[in-house]
Every structure is written in structure tokens, then in C-alpha cells.
Amino acid sequence: MASSSSINLGLSTLFVRKKLLSEEQIAATINSSRKNKTAFVTSLIHSKFLSAREISEICFEEYGTPLLDLNEFDITQISEDLLNKKLISRHKCLPLFKRGNRLYIATSDPTNITALEDFQFSLGLHAEAILVEDDKLLKVLEKILEEDISGLNLEGIDEEALAGIEVTDTNHEDEPSVDSSDDAPIVIYINKILTDAIRKGASDLHFEPYEKRYRIRFRIDGILHEVSEPPVNLSGRISARLKVMSKLDIAERRVPQDGRIKMKLSRTKSIDFRVSTLPTIWGEKIVMRILDSSSAQLGIEKLGYEDDQRLLYEEMLAKPQGMILVTGPTGSGKTVSLYTGLNILNTEERNISTAEDPVEINLEGVNQVHINLKAGLTFASALRSFLRQDPDVVMVGEIRDLETAEIAIKAAQTGHLVLSTLHTNSAAETLTRLINMGVPGYNIASSVNLIIAQRLARRLCPACKQAEDIPQTELQRLGFQQSDIDDGFTVFKPVGCDQCSGGYKGRVGIYEVMKMSDEIARTIMEGGNSLQISKQAKQQGMRDLRQSGLLKVTHGVTSIAEINRVTSF
């Protein structure tokens, strides 16, 4: 938790006195600081009320504390005996050096007297503050405190280090390990494959047996790439090792199984994998989904929403009741969009419950329920129970049937905010899908607030992307607006370098955000189809997925080829 010093009244009073911030902005920052358990200065920067540089300059002028550019300081020269990591983590301060009996500490908040006193008491030296910019300080602290897997040189790492990576499962701690010395090479090989996948930013791993070969593929930025081809005679041992790690029945090869792995990479870093096995004619195919909890903590501004789309989503999240639906194919980022919304809503004042199949990422402060069809725990039965648990916000992993849809709509109409997903191709088709399920149009019109259809497109690598010249007539044919063409923009294409995968690095969301309006509600109740609903939404200013994708092209974020791949043309 943030220490009491992180909610700093000294700085807040200073900013109000200098008329740099209003009391409302200070209150909002303090609430954000408490909610996210971050320092006051960090929350202030995230809120974009003031920049890190502005804060440091204001404090320098007010308090006369020496100002240092941390980028120019060699942190490798810091003495190990000064690095009390417990205090560094608690106060977000960094001891830099000592001279005589004086200890100089980098901080973005010179009024944090508690931090100075704690370091002074712990190290027996008189502590003095040196002012640094908060964003630079946090980057340095992350390097010092976090043993990141991306820093491992997996090519040259020794076998003992890889074999020592700890695999745990808190739900099965009483089950014995079946590792043996004969399988040590397989253990090391699998650990290397898993750490390679994490380092390369893969989302899924595919272990696939065939008659004469065995291949392993990673899905990176939505595209599968073959990364290894072990001997086919190792197929059974690889499957057995993965099933042991997942706490699955290694003797059962006839039916699919689902499991989970928690892989502890260091004292502070662990990654979860969701594991699914499938019997094929040549052995068991195993697919592993990497569940990185950091993706659920992304700020909404990093997901790729355009400003008007983001503001619309935030506006609907602020409503006390109604329904927000997110739609798109598997792997389009729906879960991240929902979790980002839940993180915004996750405050002390709200009771939030989710029903998921499966629960992929744990969210502290949210009551998450894992759907178990064999035990009779369905989305509908979980949702019924939620309504008896005094909820404020309910998230249903997916609306699959009429029963679930009716209960979710009832919840949205009786003072609850409901978030859920469907599998449709566009925002307008989501409404007609609910009608086809049997939900009356008047119920849809009165309960649905917002629908978000989305896709994930690969980002162009900034290091190697190249401009390409495309005639105006071709740009018009591709769907670009004439106003954009007249304003002028540069179209980039992928090239490929050692920093990316085929000219792309990372992904960005492309969104179609449709707000329920009186006109759309009228169209639904009159029995309108998805084309009529979409036409009405566009008249009100909605950009469809294609238009949103082309807008990303004009910003230089992605390529025309990638937008053609993920949107209809």
C-alpha cells in the first residue's frame, strides 16, 4: 500500500496556493492515489494535471532543493550497502551517495520527511533530499527492484539456472512432483521454450505432434511463427512434462484436459499459463495461453481508443446502471478492454462481481467466479447469485443464451452496471444478435448504453518502417476520406529488422464505439436490421472498424496491408 506520506498535504497545499491546481483536481488526485496505491506525485502526473518536469521545477523554486537529471547519473556507482530495497520500495526514493555522514537521496517529493527520517534511522546517516523527475525516478527504481525476465540472456544461460525455474500451483500444493533425472533435458528444454515465449512477447504457444515431425509455434502479435522442431520421438515426453507442470492426469490421453501453470521466474516475477490439451491421431496437441496480469493494468489511453471513443467509454462507465457490451472474435482484446473498465470502476465504494470462463487474470478487490458447467455453475446461475449479493457492478464473461441475456438486462434495468461480451462482427450486429436470441427490442433499447466492436492490428516497427507513395485515386478506393487526403499524410509499410517481427512490433486496438441513442432505439423497436442500425449510428458520427483502422494508418501507427487483414474491405 502507499504510505501515508504518499498522500502529501504539503505539496497539494503548494499547488493550490500557486493556483496551479483546483481543490477539485487535488481531491481527484488524492482519490486516485489511494485507489491505485501510488504516490501523490505519480498520480498527479498520470492525471496529466502537471508534468514530471513542471513538478520538479516548482519544487526547486519553492524549496531550493538541489535538482538532478537522473538520466545523467550512473546508478551502477551506487554502493550496495545503501540499497535498502524495503525502504526504496516503500517510499519510492533512491539513496544516491554519501559524503562524510550525509546521505543524499533522490526523491520527486522534497516534502516527504518521513522517507528521509526512515533512511536516516536505517543507515545511521543524516539524510538530505535531491530533487529528480518522478518518471525518471520510477524507471530507475524498476530496474533496481525488478529482476525482469526480459533481461535474461536465454541463449547462453546454463542448464542449472533453467532447471531451477520454479513451477508452482497453489491449488495443488499437496500433489508430489514427478520430475526425474532422466527427464532433466526435457525440463530444461521446456523451461527455455516458455521463457523464450515470454521474452518474445508471445500470447500463445502451440505444441503440435504429426506423423513425421513435431513443431512448436508462438503466436506473436496475432500471427503464428514456428520456433522449434524437436525430434518427433520426444512428443510423448514433452506432453507428459507439460501435463505434470499443469497438474493434469498424465495417464489420460483420450479426452481433452484443461489446467494452469504458475511459473515463478524470480523472487518478484511470475507468469501464469492457461493450458489446454487435445487428443489428435498423432498424439496430444497442447496450447498454452500466457496470462500476463500487467495487460489488465494498462491505462485506457494505451489501448488505442481515439479521444472521442475513449471519452464515450469513460462516460458510460461513470453511469450507475445500464449495459456495456464488447464484441469481436476470439483474440481481439475484449478481455483487456473489460478489465481496463473494471480497474477504473474498482474503488472502495463499489461491490464488483464477475463470472468468467475461465478466470484468466486475478483482480484484487473484484469478486471473480470461475464458471463450472459440470457442477451446474453457469453464467445464468452465477448472475442470479450476484443479484442477491448487493452488487454495484457485474461483469459476465459472455452472453451465450437467452437466459443469461434476460438476467443481465434485468440487472441493467434495476440499478446495476453490467459489462459483458458477445461474438459478433460489428456493434450493430450485436443488437440484432440479442433480438435473434429472443430478447424484446424494448428491453434492449432501455438497457444497453454502449457497444464496442474491436480488433487488434499489428503496430509498425518505429525503427524500420518506410514511407510508400500511393496515388490519391488508390487511397480513395481503399476508403480514405477526401478531407484526410487533402490534409496530407504519410503511408508507411513494414520492412523488418532485428528489433521486430516482419516489420511489426506490438499491437493496437481498432474500435467501433456505438452509443445507444433515441434514434437507434427507435430503429430497434421498429424491427430494423443491422444495416439500418449501422447507417443510423454513422449519421450520428460513429466510425466503423474500417474507418478507425484507416485513421491509424494516417497516424503512421500501422499499414494498409494490416488494416486490410483485420477489417472487411
Side-chain angles (χ1 to χ4, degrees), residues 471-527:
Q472 283 197 14
T473 53
E474 178 64 10
L475 292 176
Q476 288 177 326
R477 188 188 72 82
L478 289 167
F480 286 95
Q481 299 291 324
Q482 186 60 49
S483 57
D484 291 331
I485 297 173
D486 293 340
D487 291 340
F489 59 88
T490 303
V491 176
F492 292 93
K493 63 180 180 181
V495 177
C497 65
D498 57 1
Q499 298 182 33
C500 65
S501 176
Y504 296 97
K505 188 175 183 180
R507 288 191 287 178
V508 65
I510 295 172
Y511 302 93
E512 180 178 290
V513 181
M514 186 176 80
K515 178 182 178 181
M516 180 65 73
S517 64
D518 293 341
E519 292 77 12
I520 293 176
R522 190 176 301 113
T523 303
I524 295 169
M525 295 174 67
E526 291 172 354

Side-chain angles (χ1 to χ4, degrees), residues 185-186 188-198 200 202 204-210 213-220 223-232 234-235 237-239 241-242 273 284-288 290:
I186 294 294
I188 293 166
Y189 176 71
I190 293 297
N191 284 350
K192 185 179 187 307
I193 289 293
L194 300 186
T195 48
D196 266 338
I198 296 166
K200 292 179 179 179
D204 301 87
L205 298 79
H206 291 241
F207 297 82
E208 302 169 309
Y210 298 98
R213 63 188 293 242
Y214 190 98
R215 71 175 177 181
I216 299 174
R217 294 188 291 173
F218 293 167
R219 187 177 294 280
I220 301 173
I223 305 296
L224 282 168
H225 303 270
E226 185 170 331
V227 296
S228 184
E229 189 175 337
V232 69
L234 294 179
S235 170
R237 292 173 68 186
I238 291 173
S239 297
R241 172 58 187 166
L242 291 172
F273 297 82
E284 289 179 287
K285 173 174 178 175
I286 297 179
V287 176
M288 305 176 69
I290 298 178

Side-chain angles (χ1 to χ4, degrees), residues 56-283:
S56 62
E57 289 177 349
I58 293 165
C59 291
F60 172 70
E61 292 175 3
E62 179 71 16
Y63 303 112
T65 309
L67 185 61
L68 172 70
D69 184 352
L70 207 51
N71 287 347
E72 302 299 322
F73 187 85
D74 184 2
I75 63 171
T76 62
Q77 300 301 313
I78 300 176
S79 175
E80 283 290 331
D81 61 352
L82 299 181
L83 295 178
N84 184 324
K85 293 188 178 181
K86 185 176 181 180
L87 289 180
I88 290 172
S89 176
R90 181 191 305 164
H91 294 296
K92 301 297 183 288
C93 297
L94 178 64
L96 297 176
F97 55 87
K98 60 180 179 179
R99 286 180 182 164
N101 69 338
R102 292 184 179 274
L103 174 66
Y104 293 88
I105 298 176
T107 178
S108 58
D109 181 1
T111 67
N112 191 352
I113 305 302
T114 303
L116 299 180
E117 290 176 345
D118 280 0
F119 278 102
Q120 184 168 304
F121 179 79
S122 174
L123 299 174
L125 298 168
H126 179 73
E128 293 194 13
I130 291 183
L131 196 57
V132 296
E133 293 168 51
D134 189 71
D135 51 355
K136 295 177 181 178
L137 175 61
L138 292 181
K139 286 180 181 178
V140 171
L141 295 183
E142 185 177 358
K143 288 180 182 179
I144 290 174
L145 297 173
E146 181 70 31
E147 301 166 42
D148 197 344
I149 184 62
S150 61
L152 290 176
N153 180 4
L154 298 178
E155 299 300 324
I157 197 166
D158 61 25
E159 293 185 355
E160 185 178 348
L162 268 178
I165 291 177
E166 182 183 350
V167 177
T168 61
D169 189 322
T170 55
N171 294 324
H172 300 82
E173 288 178 349
D174 55 333
E175 296 188 14
S177 172
V178 295
D179 288 351
S180 69
S181 59
D182 291 340
D183 283 331
I186 294 294
V187 171
I188 293 166
Y189 176 71
I190 293 297
N191 284 350
K192 185 179 187 307
I193 289 293
L194 300 186
T195 48
D196 266 338
I198 296 166
R199 178 169 57 84
K200 292 179 179 179
S203 60
D204 301 87
L205 298 79
H206 291 241
F207 297 82
E208 302 169 309
Y210 298 98
E211 182 181 12
K212 295 181 179 178
R213 63 188 293 242
Y214 190 98
R215 71 175 177 181
I216 299 174
R217 294 188 291 173
F218 293 167
R219 187 177 294 280
I220 301 173
D221 295 336
I223 305 296
L224 282 168
H225 303 270
E226 185 170 331
V227 296
S228 184
E229 189 175 337
V232 69
N233 64 328
L234 294 179
S235 170
R237 292 173 68 186
I238 291 173
S239 297
R241 172 58 187 166
L242 291 172
K243 289 166 76 174
V244 166
M245 296 171 73
S246 312
K247 307 298 181 185
L248 300 178
D249 183 355
I250 62 174
E252 180 57 78
R253 302 182 182 91
R254 300 165 298 172
V255 296
Q257 297 186 67
D258 294 305
R260 198 175 179 111
I261 296 172
K262 179 180 284 293
M263 189 173 183
K264 192 169 184 181
L265 302 166
S266 70
R267 184 171 52 83
T268 57
K269 181 77 171 179
S270 63
I271 295 286
D272 287 347
F273 297 82
R274 191 181 76 208
V275 183
S276 173
T277 73
L278 179 70
T280 70
I281 59 173
W282 303 115

